[in-house]
Every structure is written in structure tokens, then in C-alpha cells.
């Protein structure tokens, strides 16, 4: 009998759900036909077969929306291409609001959609009734209509992907499990099965809810956990109109889909039920989980009120099936940190069907070209931290994240579960001083400090939240006196060895071959000139550097450094974050305070900006670096962990005389916005060059040896004026709304860009944002001055002033004081 599998392939895909079939299909579409897909049972048998099949387009970011848009467009044509029906219907979607907050969320989303070319319309209750006549509109105050959304049959569309993949030359083998991935010298080189090995250049894990455990067997972290997902399908409803829009009543945690005269009612409840904590049964296939009507009853009661015909309609099917969820409700895509050549598309958080086409296309390109085709940082698996694969952590977080699909997506929204995972050594002291903790990458860090017990809990809104005035006071005190920030969550790597300088100079766009004690602000670029990291590098010795980056970039930046260090180079990279807590002392009184504590001369001549020295604070020796992320005179203090509490107490004890206050990350966010300091992942990323981002000052084109991305930057300079550029905005109206991200930017009545991040600037008293603006003749100061700008927020446009310079202290006189 002929062997079912070949001895080698270019790519092996593990898992025959919609993600695996889409990746395989799209690989063949770009000429990679030597692909083998292995499915342990049958295609669609894990989660895909019981998915609801909703196809919506608007996601949280531009590129995620583009992937979803492409999916919908692909579903239009897939059946005609392959001859396999998909059941796709573009019947639109309605999203209802029962509260002003929800309506603002929907209207802001509709504005954001305009950036992406999505057709979305605000609709009144009467217009909602026209499109969904069986609705009870009690409590409904408005909504959004998206005519290009729709629905699909998940099993059929998966079979269409599979058929298209076979037509393109791929081989799909069912009823064959992968026992293990073959890894040599840190790279995936194939898979092993009961029917033999397949050598491969790349391997892709598309194993759905099995992916975490399977990856862990190979030392790879894929944080996801299965949860029970409930829906009911009614008996036929004679009066139910065909082709009803998909309906989302997220204030009631429910969605509705008409299908062949029946109504599917599903939910994303606020407290979910994680499943299979100890592992998924190996034989689990086309299986469902036990009914739990008591759990679903609350949702059904609201549904009967919302759609009264349900009260007299029988239930044909009560379904409970598992789906996988990640700690932040975004899927896992890309090449893993631990094993090169090992990719994943998993953890789809119930948006796998609507994401499948775009995900398959993006990952296929990523595999072939060696890099993501667009900025996919939001879903890149490298954003996750290894600890997040912890079973208990995932179990506890999954109870919350399923419901967050439909819960309010408030600005500054904090997770309530799986907290207090990573704490700085100052944690208890900060709490005693009134810190209200927020979380990033598992780190507990102060959002702000509650004074006299005020605003101990965040009251969410799209406007000025209850901590607004507290943070304003923190910002003003930082600008007028001095503030202490716990910056321990900043990630610190030691890069040592005789080749450290040469390797870092090749990786960094700025010149790091500087005197010992000099600090360099720089970006790490890809070959296209895009920004992969935004960091500071401090030379500690001829052969030693301190490399500092943001908390969320820990795995990503370490992987970038490791993979761009040439084989055989005498370089050693160590993550020393846990052993080196960091405090920021910022404000005009930072100098006299630290001079008193250290008995050192911290004047400009003795300790200039962008320099680093060891000084004594109390009984400890610390590294002090004169740099700032808040736009004031200040120092970052790197303290060995065993001395950290002592140094903190010493600063607090002496600080009263100098007006020292505690400040948190909400204040830091406000002040960095005033200064126009970029945030990687929001304002800058792999598709943005330093020249577009206004960071050309951190590029040294002529340094010896060149650097990654240099050729791309030279080509950009040769092309003339920068046509797309990051710009600072100040809202003109005193009571202008706050901007957060992706609000459309208009110039003279034309859509020219979008906001990347925003905050209120307390030191200047205005709502601020920054974002990219495009102009065919270039974006420069004269274009900004001659144009009339408006920012669209929730469907309304508000006047704004645009400039390239910082809003606060553009001359940097305060930093250099």
C-alpha cells in the first residue's frame, strides 16, 4: 500500500479546523504547493463544526479589521472558485445599545470603521425595528447597522478551503496524529507520526484548544484555555423573516442568527465556565458538553423579553461546546519565540470563522517571506509572556475573558481575574501610600494614588473618569516639584561580550559605539525600515551594555536580539529584570533631592542628559541614568533587588522637604503624550519608519558597518518629502472629548489619517492625541499650519490644531535644565 504521507514537505500544518485549512489554502495561492496538512481525526471536528458562523468586520485595529474584511470578501467568491458551497449570506448586522455608554462605544466604533472603509451607520430604534420587526425595543436607545456583515456555515467553508488547497497541490491527511515536532538546534525541521516522519522547512500549529498542551511538550508557550460556549437553536418559527440581520444585544450578553427559519441564540456571559483544566480527552471529536440550562437560563430569560416570539417557540437544540480563549482575548499568530520555523494560528476567542481568511493569508505570507505582511503586533504570539501558560492562571482568567467579548470596552479597562501575578519589590509600600493598581503583562503597577480614600475603584466612562483630577495633581506636581515612579516593570537585558558593540550597532539604528556611561535612545529596525523595538541602550563598559525596553515587549525584543545575533558571535544576552528594580525620580526638584541623598554633583556639567553613572543613595550603590519619559528633569535609578526597599524608604523619607509625591502610569501616559513621546505598539511599529515617526534624529546612516534597515531608509530619503508622518494634535474646544485610538483625522474636509493614541494633557489643559497624517505633497509644518484639522469622535467632528513639535516644552529646556 502506498504511503499516505511524503518523506518531506516545505510546510506541515497540524490541525484541520478552519484555521489550518485556510493557512494551507493560502500557501498554495502564493505558490507554496508542497504543503501537508495532518488532522488527528476529521476536518472541522474540534471547534469549527459547532461555531455560530458570524462574519463581522470591525475589529480593534486597522490591520485586524483588514484581515476580517478580506475574509468576508473571500467568502463571496470561495464557493465559485472551489465548487463547494459555504452558506455565506451578506445579510448585515445590527448592534443595539441600551445605555449611553454602550451607544458611545458603538458610535466611536462606527467612526473608527470609516478609517478602514467600512460601511457603518447609526440607526434609531425605529430603523432597528424596520430591519428586525420581531424585536421588543424596550430600553433600546439606538444602534449601529453594518450592511456588509453576515454569516456562513463553518463546516462548509472549511471544506471549501480544504478543496481549494487540494486543487492547489496540497496534501490533506485525516486520522493521523502528530506525535511530536522534530526540533534541531532550536529550529523546527519536521514532524513525527505513527506512519513515519516528514521533514519540513516550517511547521504550523493550528490545533485549536489542543495547542497549548501540545506546544508545551516542546517547550513552547501558547497561552490558551478552553471554555464552555452555549447556544440554543429553536424550532421553526413561521413568522420569522428570512435573511434577518445578525443581531448583537451585548448589554444582554446575547447574539441572534436566523438560519433556515430557525433562530440561534447564543451568549458570551460575564462569568464563563472554563473547561478541561487538566487536559482535553484525546478522543474528543464531534462531541458536545453536558447541558447546563441553569447557567444559560438568565440569558434565555432576557432573550424571551427581547424577542417575545421565543416564549411560544420550542427549543430544538441546546448546545454546549468548547472554544479556546487567550488571556487578552486576541488570537495567537506568528512564529514562536522558543523554536524558529514553528508557527501558530490558534486561540481564536470565538472569532475564528470571521478571522480565518485574513489569518490564513497573513500567516502564509509570513511563512514564505519571513516576516509579517502588515503590523500584527496585537495578535503576534510574541506579545505573550511565558507565565501566561500557567494552567491556574489561564483557568482563572478564562472565567472573565469570554464575557469581555460583549462587555463594555472602556478606556483603561482593567482585568479583574488572575491579578497580582508579578509584583515589584515596592508593591506593598505603594499600596500603603494609596496606589490603585493596574496591570500590564502581568505586572501590578500604580495607575494613580488615591488621596484620602477617594476613587479607590475606577468608575469607567469615555469621558473624564473619577481619577481625572487626582492624575492632574500628580502631573502638575511632577512639573512643579518632584515625583517618584515605580518603573520596575521596564524590561532590562544585559548584553555582554567582546562582540557586543558590533552586534548591537548592527541591530540598532542609532550609534551605540559611544563612551562608557553614555545612554543612547534608538530603534531596532527590520529590513523594510520599520520599527521593531523602541529602546534605550547604555554602555556600561567596553564589552557590556544595558538594553531597556517596555514590559509588553519582553519576549518579543529578547527574541529579536537573539535571532539577529550572528552565530558564533561572542555575545551573551541575559534578562535581569527581576533582579534590577527601577525607580524614576522626575521633576525640577529631582536634582536637589538626589544631590542631598547621594552627596554627588548632579549638575549639567558633571552629569549631563543621556549619561549614566553609579551613585550612592543611603547605604546602597545604584545606577542613575539621566533620561525621562515624562518631559521633566529626572533620573532613572536601577537598584539591585536586595537594596531596593532601603533605597525607596530613603527617598520617601527625604522627599517631603522637596514636595515629593507618588505618581502612576496614568500620569505618565498623560505627560508622555504632552511631550509627543512615542509608544511602541500604538504610535510606532513594524510598518512605520523613523522618518515617518519623526525619529530621524535617532538614526545614524553613516555609522561604520551599517545597520538592519539602512538601505530601506536611504531609499525613503531619495523619494523626497515624507508623505505619511506622525503628528501631534490638540483639541481646540475646552470641553472637547477625549481621544484614545483610531479616531479619524480630517483636513479641509478630507479623511487624511487616524489617531494612534491619546490622553488629556494636564500640564497644558487640553485633550491631546497623536496620529499619522498623509499628504501626497508631503507632511511638513507648512502643510499642518495651512490645513484645518478635525478629529471625528463618535460621529461628530471637533476642531484640532496640528503640529510636529511637542505640545509641552518643545525646546526641551526643562529636561536639560
Amino acid at each position: 500500500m502506498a504511503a499516505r504521507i511524503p518523506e518531506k514537505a516545505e510546510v506541515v500544518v497540524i490541525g484541520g479546523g478552519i484555521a489550518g485549512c485556510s493557512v494551507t489554502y493560502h500557501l498554495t495561492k502564493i505558490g507554496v504547493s508542497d504543503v501537508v496538512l495532518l488532522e488527528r481525526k476529521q476536518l472541522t471536528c474540534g471547534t469549527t463544526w459547532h461555531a455560530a458562523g458570524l462574519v463581522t468586520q470591525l475589529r480593534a485595529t486597522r490591520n485586524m479589521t483588514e484581515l476580517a474584511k478580506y475574509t468576508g470578501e473571500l467568502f463571496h467568491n470561495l464557493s465559485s472558485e472551489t465548487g463547494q458551497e459555504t452558506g455565506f449570506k451578506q445579510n448585515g448586522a445590527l448592534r443595539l445599545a441600551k445605555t449611553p455608554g454602550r451607544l458611545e462605544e458603538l458610535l466611536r466604533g462606527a467612526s473608527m470603521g470609516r478609517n478602514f472603509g467600512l460601511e457603518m451607520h447609526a440607526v434609531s430604534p425605529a430603523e432597528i425595528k424596520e430591519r428586525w420587526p420581531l424585536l421588543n425595543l424596550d430600553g433600546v436607545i439606538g444602534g449601529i447597522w453594518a450592511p456588509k456583515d453576515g454569516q456562513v456555515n463553518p463546516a462548509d467553508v472549511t471544506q471549501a478551503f480544504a478543496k481549494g488547497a487540494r486543487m492547489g497541490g496540497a496534501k490533506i491527511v485525516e486520522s493521523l496524529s502528530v506525535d511530536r515536532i522534530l526540533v534541531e538546534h532550536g529550529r523546527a525541521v519536521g514532524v513525527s507520526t505513527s506512519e513515519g516522519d516528514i521533514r519540513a522547512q516550517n511547521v504550523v500549529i493550528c490545533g485549536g484548544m489542543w495547542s497549548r498542551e501540545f506546544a508545551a511538550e516542546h517547550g513552547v508557550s501558547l497561552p490558551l484555555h478552553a471554555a464552555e460556549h452555549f447556544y440554543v437553536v429553536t424550532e421553526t418559527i413561521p413568522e420569522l423573516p428570512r435573511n434577518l440581520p445578525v443581531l448583537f444585544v451585548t448589554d444582554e450578553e446575547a447574539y441572534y442568527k436566523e438560519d433556515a427559519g430557525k433562530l440561534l441564540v447564543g451568549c458570551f456571559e460575564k462569568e464563563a465556565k472554563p473547561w478541561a483544566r487538566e487536559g482535553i480527552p484525546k478522543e474528543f471529536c464531534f462531541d458536545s458538553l453536558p447541558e447546563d440550562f441553569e447557567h444559560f437560563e438568565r440569558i434565555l430569560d432576557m432573550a424571551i423579553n427581547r424577542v417575545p416570539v421565543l416564549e411560544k417557540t420550542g427549543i430544538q437544540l441546546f448546545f454546549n461546546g468548547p472554544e479556546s480563549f487567550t488571556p487578552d482575548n486576541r488570537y495567537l499568530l506568528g512564529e514562536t519565540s522558543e523554536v524558529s520555523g514553528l508557527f501558530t494560528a490558534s486561540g481564536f476567542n470565538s472569532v475564528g470563522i470571521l478571522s480565518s481568511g485574513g489569518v490564513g493569508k497573513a500567516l502564509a505570507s509570513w511563512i514564505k517571506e519571513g516576516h509579517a505582511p502588515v503590523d500584527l503586533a496585537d495578535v503576534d504570539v510574541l506579545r505573550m509572556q511565558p507565565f501566561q501558560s500557567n494552567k491556574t492562571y489561564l483557568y482563572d482568567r478564562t472565567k472573565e475573558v469570554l464575557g469581555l467579548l460583549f462587555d463594555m470596552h472602556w478606556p483603561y479597562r482593567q482585568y479583574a481575574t488572575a491579578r497580582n501575578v508579578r509584583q515589584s519589590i515596592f508593591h506593598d509600600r505603594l499600596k500603603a501610600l494609596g496606589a490603585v493598581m493596574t496591570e500590564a503583562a502581568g505586572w501590578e503597577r500604580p495607575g494613580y494614588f488615591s488621596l484620602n480614600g477617594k476613587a479607590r475603584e475606577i468608575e469607567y466612562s469615555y469621558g473624564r473618569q473619577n481619577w481625572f483630577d487626582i492624575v492632574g495633581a500628580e502631573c502638575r506636581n511632577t512639573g512643579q516639584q518632584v515625583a517618584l515612579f515605580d518603573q520596575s516593570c521596564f524590561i532590562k537585558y544585559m548584553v555582554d561580550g567582546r562582540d557586543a558593540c558590533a552586534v548591537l550597532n548592527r541591530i540598532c539604528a542609532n550609534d551605540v559605539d559611544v563612551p562608557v556611561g553614555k545612554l543612547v535612545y534608538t530603534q531596532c529596525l527590520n529590513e523594510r525600515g520599520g520599527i521593531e523595538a523602541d529602546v534605550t541602550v547604555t554602555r556600561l563598559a567596553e564589552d557590556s551594555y544595558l538594553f531597556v525596553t517596555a514590559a509588553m515587549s519582553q519576549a518579543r525584543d529578547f527574541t529579536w536580539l537573539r535571532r539577529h545575533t550572528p552565530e558564533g558571535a561572542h555575545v551573551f544576552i541575559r534578562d535581569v529584570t527581576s533582579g534590577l528594580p527601577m525607580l524614576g525620580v522626575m521633576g525640577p526638584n529631582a536634582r536637589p533631592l538626589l544631590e542631598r541623598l547621594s552627596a554627588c554633583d548632579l549638575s549639567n556639567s558633571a552629569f549631563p542628559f543621556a549619561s549614566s553613572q553609579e551613585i550612592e543613595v543611603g547605604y546602597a550603590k545604584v545606577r542613575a541614568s539621566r533620561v525621562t519619559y515624562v518631559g521633566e528633569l529626572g533620573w532613572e535609578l536601577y537598584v539591585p533587588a536586595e537594596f531596593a526597599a532601603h533605597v525607596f524608604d530613603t527617598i520617601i523619607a527625604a522627599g517631603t522637604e522637596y514636595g515629593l509625591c507618588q505618581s502612576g502610569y496614568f500620569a505618565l501616559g498623560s505627560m508622555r503624550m504632552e511631550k509627543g513621546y512615542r509608544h511602541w505598539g500604538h504610535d510606532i511599529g513594524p510598518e512605520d519608519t523613523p522618518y515617518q515617526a519623526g525619529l530621524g534624529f535617532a538614526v545614524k546612516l553613516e555609522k561604520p558597518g551599517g545597520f538592519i534597515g539602512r538601505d530601506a531608509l536611504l531609499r525613503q530619503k531619495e523619494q523626497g518629502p515624507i508623505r505619511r508622518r506622525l503628528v501631534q494634535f490638540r483639541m481646540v474646544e475646552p470641553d472637547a472629548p477625549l481621544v484614545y485610538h483610531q479616531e479619524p483625522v480630517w483636513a479641509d474636509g478630507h479623511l487624511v489619517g487616524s489617531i494612534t493614541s491619546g490622553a488629556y494633557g494636564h500640564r497644558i489643559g487640553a485633550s491631546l492625541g497623536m496620529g499619522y497624517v498623509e499628504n501626497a505633497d508631503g507632511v511638513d509644518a507648512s502643510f499642518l499650519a495651512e490645513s484645518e484639522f478635525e478629529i471625528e469622535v463618535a460621529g461628530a467632528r471637533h476642531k484640532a490644531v496640528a503640529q510636529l513639535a511637542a505640545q509641552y516644552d518643545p525646546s526641551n529646556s526643562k529636561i536639560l535644565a
Side-chain angles (χ1 to χ4, degrees), residues 254-276:
Y255 62 88
Y256 302 77
K257 182 186 82 165
E258 182 275 330
D259 192 6
K262 302 171 185 178
L263 200 59
L264 182 150
V265 183
C267 70
F268 291 101
E269 68 276 24
K270 290 185 179 179
E271 186 168 350
K273 295 181 65 179
W275 179 71

Side-chain angles (χ1 to χ4, degrees), residues 76 97 113 126 536 590 611 634:
H76 258 302
T536 61
S611 64

Side-chain angles (χ1 to χ4, degrees), residues 688-739:
D688 311 309
T689 71
Y691 298 137
Q692 292 170 331
L695 298 174
F697 65 89
V699 174
K700 295 295 183 286
L701 288 172
E702 305 308 321
K703 68 177 178 176
F707 57 89
I708 299 169
R710 178 179 181 272
D711 291 345
L713 296 189
L714 287 172
R715 288 193 297 271
Q716 188 173 62
K717 287 181 73 71
E718 291 169 359
Q719 291 170 358
I722 302 297
R723 298 179 177 87
R724 175 179 176 271
R725 195 163 180 182
L726 194 63
V727 172
Q728 312 301 311
F729 293 98
R730 176 174 55 82
M731 304 291 270
V732 173
E733 304 157 9
D735 58 348
L738 301 178
V739 297

Side-chain angles (χ1 to χ4, degrees), residues 496-528:
D496 300 311
R498 61 175 175 267
D499 296 328
C501 179
V503 168
L504 283 176
N505 236 7
R506 176 69 179 164
I507 292 173
C508 298
N510 210 338
D511 190 356
V512 302
D513 190 4
V514 293
V516 172
K518 179 69 174 175
L519 180 148
V520 178
Y521 173 59
T522 184
Q523 288 75 47
C524 304
L525 309 182
N526 55 43
E527 294 288 0
R528 285 103 47 218

Side-chain angles (χ1 to χ4, degrees), residues 342-364:
L342 178 61
F343 293 81
T344 190
S346 57
F348 280 97
N349 307 280
S350 286
V351 298
I353 306 303
L354 66 91
S355 304
S356 60
V359 161
K361 181 181 181 182
L363 192 59

Side-chain angles (χ1 to χ4, degrees), residues 322-567:
E323 298 190 14
S324 60
F325 292 81
T326 64
D328 62 1
N329 246 344
R330 289 176 274 143
Y331 47 83
L332 308 176
L333 192 67
E335 189 174 14
T336 66
S337 171
E338 300 87 348
V339 179
S340 299
L342 178 61
F343 293 81
T344 190
S346 57
F348 280 97
N349 307 280
S350 286
V351 298
I353 306 303
L354 66 91
S355 304
S356 60
V359 161
K361 181 181 181 182
L363 192 59
S365 174
W366 200 330
I367 292 167
K368 182 178 181 180
E369 303 298 332
H371 61 82
V374 293
D375 181 1
L376 294 171
D378 274 357
V379 292
D380 192 332
V381 66
L382 297 184
R383 76 186 186 277
M384 307 306 295
Q385 311 299 318
F387 82 87
Q388 291 177 302
S389 282
N390 177 282
K391 287 183 180 180
T392 303
Y393 171 87
L394 285 169
Y395 182 86
D396 290 345
R397 176 58 64 83
T398 300
K399 295 177 185 177
E400 179 182 12
V401 292
L402 181 147
L404 290 180
L405 282 169
F406 277 9
D407 209 350
M408 286 293 302
H409 301 94
W410 295 116
Y412 306 101
R413 174 73 184 256
Q414 298 296 310
Y415 292 108
T417 55
R419 292 292 299 271
N420 294 305
V421 180
R422 307 172 84 179
Q423 298 180 2
S424 82
I425 201 166
F426 312 116
H427 181 84
D428 291 344
R429 285 169 164 78
L430 296 169
K431 292 279 286 185
L433 291 167
V436 176
M437 291 294 180
T438 59
E439 182 261 346
W443 283 98
E444 295 292 321
R445 55 191 202 177
Y448 58 94
F449 287 80
S450 172
L451 305 178
N452 303 318
K454 296 180 179 178
R456 292 295 301 171
E457 300 290 335
I458 298 176
E459 295 176 4
Y460 294 112
S461 75
Y462 280 97
R464 300 180 177 188
Q465 298 183 7
N466 61 330
W467 44 261
F468 182 87
D469 291 336
I470 295 173
V471 169
E474 291 178 9
C475 294
R476 288 186 289 273
N477 194 85
T478 305
Q480 297 165 8
Q481 299 189 88
V482 62
L484 184 65
F485 294 84
D486 176 15
Q487 296 177 264
S488 299
C489 66
F490 280 49
I491 305 305
K492 285 83 69 175
Y493 307 130
M494 292 296 299
V495 183
D496 300 311
R498 61 175 175 267
D499 296 328
C501 179
V503 168
L504 283 176
N505 236 7
R506 176 69 179 164
I507 292 173
C508 298
N510 210 338
D511 190 356
V512 302
D513 190 4
V514 293
V516 172
K518 179 69 174 175
L519 180 148
V520 178
Y521 173 59
T522 184
Q523 288 75 47
C524 304
L525 309 182
N526 55 43
E527 294 288 0
R528 285 103 47 218
I531 300 171
E532 295 285 346
D534 185 59
V535 303
T536 61
V537 178
T538 304
R539 193 166 200 170
L540 307 181
E542 288 298 313
D543 58 354
S544 181
Y545 288 85
L546 178 65
F547 185 105
V548 180
T549 187
M552 296 297 294
S553 298
Q554 187 163 16
R556 181 188 182 92
D557 288 2
F558 191 84
T559 301
W560 188 266
L561 284 173
R562 179 166 51 82
R563 288 183 176 164
H564 289 84
T565 297
E567 186 174 351

